[in-house]
Amino acid sequence: MKYVVADDHLSSVLMVTKLLQDRMDVREEAISSAKDSESLFEVLGSVTDGPAVVILDLVMPGNLKRLPLLRAVLDRAADIRVVAYSGSDSALLAEAVLDAGAFSYVSKGSSRSVLLEAIKSATQQHKYMDPQVDIQKNQGHPWRDLTPREASVIIMLCKGESVSSVAEALGITNKTVSSHKVRALQKLDLPESAGLTSYLINSGLTYLLDD
């Protein structure tokens, strides 16, 4: 088993490396590191003789962040087991990360023992969610009440697209786009669209703007 620590903070790389060596008896030569997405893909390109566990900072220097970065990592080799090590404790992001194929999700605010358990779980191909992240509250989140089309409209508008460009991309009329927006605002209890970006930030949904 090989381990890759992908984080642009040297202190995090050293901490995780020491954790692997001291608590899991991982040999130094079995541990690699990467400080950005480009160097991470180079390291993964050399992983050809067996499985690898990637302890992945979801926001590193590079063109990809969060879910697009995770998907790209998983596409690099057949047996990549990802531990998402994130500065965000967003339950919606955490759930999306596990749904996208990661084995574990850990907030950087959690203890080393939690991170250790997450790495061990990924090594054994078991799912693990940081106890600090309460995904149960996702069930009642207003965003879940939006239809897929309403959510698409809101995301595209938050990316700065005009009503007409959204309508063209989705193959619907401007009036239908506006109707979807109005219904979405009502479900999210927002008085006007000017508050949409703040809503996504406060709800831990900014990862939806990455794709």
Side-chain angles (χ1 to χ4, degrees), residues 50-156:
V53 173
V54 179
I55 298 90
L56 178 66
D57 179 0
L58 293 175
V59 182
M60 294 194 301
N63 295 327
L64 301 176
K65 312 288 184 187
R66 290 173 284 264
L67 293 180
L69 175 60
L70 171 62
R71 295 187 191 108
V73 168
L74 292 173
D75 285 342
R76 290 288 161 158
D79 195 356
I80 298 291
R81 306 168 189 182
V82 174
V83 176
Y85 192 37
S86 173
S88 171
D89 60 1
S90 165
L92 289 166
L93 172 60
E95 187 173 25
V97 165
L98 262 60
D99 287 345
F103 275 101
S104 303
Y105 187 96
V106 183
S107 167
K108 287 192 172 183
S110 293
S111 67
R112 296 183 185 184
S113 61
V114 170
L115 176 59
L116 179 64
E117 188 64 30
I119 296 172
K120 287 181 177 178
S121 294
T123 301
Q124 299 165 3
Q125 294 184 290
H126 297 154
K127 293 285 187 176
Y128 181 88
M129 177 62 73
D130 188 333
Q132 179 175 303
V133 180
D134 182 13
I135 63 170
Q136 295 301 318
K137 67 181 181 182
N138 288 348
Q139 303 306 316
H141 198 285
W143 185 262
R144 293 290 181 87
D145 294 333
L146 270 59
T147 66
R149 182 52 57 89
E150 289 167 352
S152 295
V153 166
I154 293 303
I155 292 167
M156 294 174 75

Side-chain angles (χ1 to χ4, degrees), residues 131-197:
Q132 179 175 303
V133 180
D134 182 13
I135 63 170
Q136 295 301 318
K137 67 181 181 182
N138 288 348
Q139 303 306 316
H141 198 285
W143 185 262
R144 293 290 181 87
D145 294 333
L146 270 59
T147 66
R149 182 52 57 89
E150 289 167 352
S152 295
V153 166
I154 293 303
I155 292 167
M156 294 174 75
L157 291 174
C158 285
K159 287 181 177 180
E161 297 191 35
S162 65
V163 170
S164 58
S165 64
V166 172
E168 182 178 357
L170 297 179
I172 56 180
T173 65
N174 288 6
K175 182 177 180 180
T176 302
V177 170
S178 297
S179 296
H180 284 314
K181 183 182 75 171
V182 169
R183 285 196 295 271
L185 289 172
Q186 291 172 342
K187 291 178 180 180
L188 299 176
D189 196 25
L190 292 174
E192 55 186 22
S193 58
L196 276 172
T197 301

Side-chain angles (χ1 to χ4, degrees), residues 12-24:
S12 293
V13 173
L14 294 175
M15 181 274 290
V16 176
T17 299
K18 183 172 176 57
L19 194 67
L20 291 170
Q21 293 174 329
D22 293 352
R23 301 293 296 278
M24 292 181 63

